[in-house]
Amino acid sequence: KQEVTQIPAALSVPEGENLVLNCSFTDSAIYNLQWFRQDPGKGLTSLLLIQSSQREQTSGRLNASLDKSSGRSTLYIAASQPGDSATYLCAAYSGGYQKVTFGTGTKLQVIP
Amino acid sequence: NAGVTQTPKFQVLKTGQSMTLQCAQDMNHNSMYWYRQDPGMGLRLIYYSASEGTTDKGEVPNGYNVSRLNKREFSLRLESAAPSQTSVYFCAGGWGAGSPLHFGNGTRLTVT
């Protein structure tokens, strides 16, 4: 059974700092790895999707990488801003309608 | 574009009461999903519908029923609510197995 872990559970950084969020998964046979952002009281907003054949994806200040062999994905946020404060979740897609496993998230606070 | 819309946003029930959570999407999704999100446990799949006219159990289906009314709408029913069903419920849609999920904003349900 796929397990997805995100450490740390919470992170606080000063504005302007570059930071890395981690996502580990136990079964390397994944199709996609998706990063989401969740604001308090809101749903999940997709940030980046990495297909299994890709190594990374970039969108603005965000860069996500995928290393299937080591069971890891990282989300890099450059020049963090207070507006980046949210919970970030990763999800591993292992194929099939049921086989999407979510991590419990990293709650990020960017301090002005 | 509305995307995935859930109603209601908030609900308080007493133990034993019933209710239906509604979900509608205008993204032409073939598959639709119901998840629950609990602190420290990540999102867990309750039921899904791979296509119009089909529904299947997910990881935590007990105490719930679903109806795929048409391609756009997928409802979740609690027949006799229990305090253990206090949670945030998310509906999501996708274009098939392994395709990225798009989430609604959630329904926050409290059962007393």
Side-chain angles (χ1 to χ4, degrees), chain A residues 32 38 41-43 49 93 97-98, chain B residues 37 48 97-101 108:
Chain A
N32 300 316
Q38 185 175 26
K42 300 292 186 183
L49 175 78
Y93 291 67
Y97 295 96
Q98 296 197 57
Chain B
Q37 185 178 37
Y48 68 97
S99 71
L101 297 176
R108 281 141 192 85

Side-chain angles (χ1 to χ4, degrees), chain A residues 20-73:
Chain A
V20 173
L21 305 180
N22 296 300
C23 172
S24 300
F25 47 93
T26 55
D27 184 353
S28 62
I30 63 170
Y31 285 76
N32 300 316
L33 192 291
Q34 190 167 8
W35 283 92
F36 294 90
R37 168 184 173 138
Q38 185 175 26
D39 293 288
K42 300 292 186 183
L44 281 69
T45 301
S46 179
L47 296 173
L48 290 164
L49 175 78
I50 312 173
Q51 297 178 343
S52 62
S53 59
Q54 299 173 320
R55 286 292 187 101
E56 63 179 63
Q57 282 284 345
T58 298
S59 176
R61 294 183 294 108
L62 305 179
N63 176 275
S65 66
L66 175 63
D67 184 345
K68 289 175 58 178
S69 62
S70 67
R72 291 187 59 191
S73 177

Side-chain angles (χ1 to χ4, degrees), chain B:
Chain B
N1 291 334
V4 179
T5 304
Q6 292 182 235
T7 56
K9 289 184 170 57
F10 301 94
Q11 185 71 50
V12 178
L13 292 177
K14 294 185 177 177
T15 298
Q17 289 184 320
S18 62
M19 77 162 295
T20 300
L21 283 65
Q22 307 285 355
C23 176
Q25 53 90 8
D26 62 1
M27 303 180 73
N28 202 33
H29 288 143
N30 296 314
S31 54
M32 296 184 74
Y33 308 78
W34 278 104
Y35 286 89
R36 61 179 288 173
Q37 185 178 37
D38 301 291
M41 300 192 72
L43 278 83
R44 292 180 293 168
L45 182 64
I46 305 171
Y47 270 93
Y48 68 97
S49 170
S51 61
E52 185 179 354
T54 69
T55 61
D56 284 287
K57 296 178 180 179
E59 182 183 355
V60 288
N62 291 345
Y64 305 95
N65 284 301
V66 290
S67 295
R68 184 76 182 266
L69 304 171
N70 47 56
K71 187 171 184 178
R72 291 187 61 247
E73 298 173 287
F74 189 38
S75 63
L76 177 72
R77 183 161 178 84
L78 286 71
E79 291 291 352
S80 179
S84 62
Q85 294 178 306
T86 293
S87 186
V88 181
Y89 292 85
F90 287 102
C91 176
W95 288 289
S99 71
L101 297 176
H102 297 84
F103 283 84
N105 280 335
T107 295
R108 281 141 192 85
L109 175 67
T110 301
V111 183
T112 61

